[in-house]
Amino acid sequence: WMSLFSDLMFSCRSEMLFKTSSGKAYIIHHEPKTSVYSFISADILLRSLKLDEIPTRQRVAKGVLSYSANDEFNESIPLKYEVDATRINDISWSSNFIGTYAIAKKILAFWTRLGYLATQFVEFESTGKVLHLEEGDVVELTHTKLNWTYNKLIITDIESLGVNRFRFRARIYPDATDSTGIFYQPTDAEIPLGTDSFAGLYPPAI
C-alpha cells in the first residue's frame, strides 16, 4: 500500500516531509501560493542564518516519460521521473494514476523542475511574532548577507527553542509559472508526442 500511496502523492504533486525537530511527518501539496509573511534582516536573530545548497552534480537533470500511445482501452500511463545516471543521485518514481498524456507531461515537468531549481536550503532563528506560521507555508526573505530580495521559501520545519524563539528550516521555492519557476508548463515542442520515451527539460530552461 505504501507504493500506491507514493504513486498517488506523486500524481497529485504532493510530497511527505519529516520534521527534523520532532520526527513527525506531514504532507505538502505543491501549488502556486501567495507569501504569508515577509522576513527581513531585522527578523533574523544574530548569527543564526545558514545557507546550504545541493551541488550541481546532485541536482535532477532529466525526466523520462514512458507511456502507451494507444488510449483506446483507457490504459493508464506509467510515468517515470529520474535523474541523469551520470550524476550522484540516481532515483526514480513511477505512477499508474495518470489518465492522459497531457497530464503526465505536466506532472513530469513539475517534478523535474522542482528537483533542478529548488536546491537551496535556509536555516534561521526568529522571535515569537511569527507564531502563526506553520510547515508548508510560503514566505519571503530579504537579507543583505545573502543578497536576497523577496526570495520565496517554503517552510519545511519549525522548532521551538523556548519562549518567543523559533528555528526555521526552509527550501527555496521558485514557484513562478514562467521559465524561471517550477510551475512552468512546457510546450509540445519541448516535450514532443510520439515516442515511447524521451528526455524532458534536460536541463530545465532557466
Side-chain angles (χ1 to χ4, degrees):
W1 68 271
M2 282 299 296
S3 177
L4 291 175
F5 178 72
S6 298
D7 286 354
L8 183 59
M9 294 271 289
F10 181 83
S11 305
C12 295
R13 290 196 310 205
S14 300
E15 62 179 321
M16 180 178 290
L17 299 178
F18 291 88
K19 286 173 60 71
T20 305
S21 57
S22 66
K24 294 181 179 179
Y26 62 95
I27 294 173
I28 289 180
H29 174 61
H30 294 289
E31 58 184 345
K33 298 179 180 179
T34 302
S35 173
V36 298
Y37 188 80
S38 185
F39 285 95
I40 59 175
S41 299
D43 294 322
I44 310 301
L45 298 182
L46 187 64
R47 292 187 293 274
S48 69
L49 181 63
K50 301 175 183 177
L51 176 67
D52 192 18
E53 186 169 7
I54 297 176
T56 301
R57 288 189 66 248
Q58 295 184 31
R59 299 181 186 179
V60 169
K62 181 171 61 175
V64 178
L65 175 64
S66 301
Y67 66 97
S68 169
N70 183 358
D71 290 332
E72 180 179 356
F73 301 104
N74 296 317
E75 296 177 356
S76 61
I77 301 172
L79 176 65
K80 186 179 182 182
Y81 162 75
E82 61 182 16
V83 299
D84 185 352
T86 64
R87 300 193 173 211
I88 294 175
N89 286 353
D90 188 8
I91 50 180
S92 64
W93 291 270
S94 62
S95 178
N96 294 313
F97 291 95
I98 311 299
T100 68
Y101 171 81
I103 295 175
K105 182 171 68 172
K106 291 179 179 180
I107 295 173
L108 171 72
F110 168 79
W111 287 110
T112 303
R113 293 180 68 80
L114 181 70
Y116 187 84
L117 297 173
T119 57
Q120 290 180 312
F121 300 82
V122 180
E123 180 180 302
F124 58 88
E125 296 174 16
S126 191
T127 62
K129 68 178 182 179
V130 291
L131 276 171
H132 63 286
L133 296 177
E134 57 186 22
E135 288 86 357
D137 281 345
V138 172
V139 298
E140 296 171 335
L141 174 60
T142 297
H143 203 285
T144 53
K145 179 180 178 180
L146 302 177
N147 197 27
W148 282 5
T149 303
Y150 300 115
N151 282 39
K152 275 192 172 182
L153 305 169
I154 186 166
I155 297 174
T156 59
D157 191 15
I158 302 175
E159 179 182 359
S160 176
L161 300 177
V163 179
N164 291 330
R165 185 166 180 169
F166 298 88
R167 177 180 291 127
F168 291 86
R169 297 179 181 87
R171 178 173 65 189
I172 194 169
Y173 202 63
D175 67 349
T177 56
D178 60 22
S179 61
T180 65
I182 57 178
F183 291 104
Y184 170 75
Q185 294 301 316
T187 64
D188 289 339
E190 289 175 292
I191 303 184
L193 176 64
T195 55
D196 290 335
S197 63
F198 54 85
L201 302 181
Y202 177 66
I206 58 172

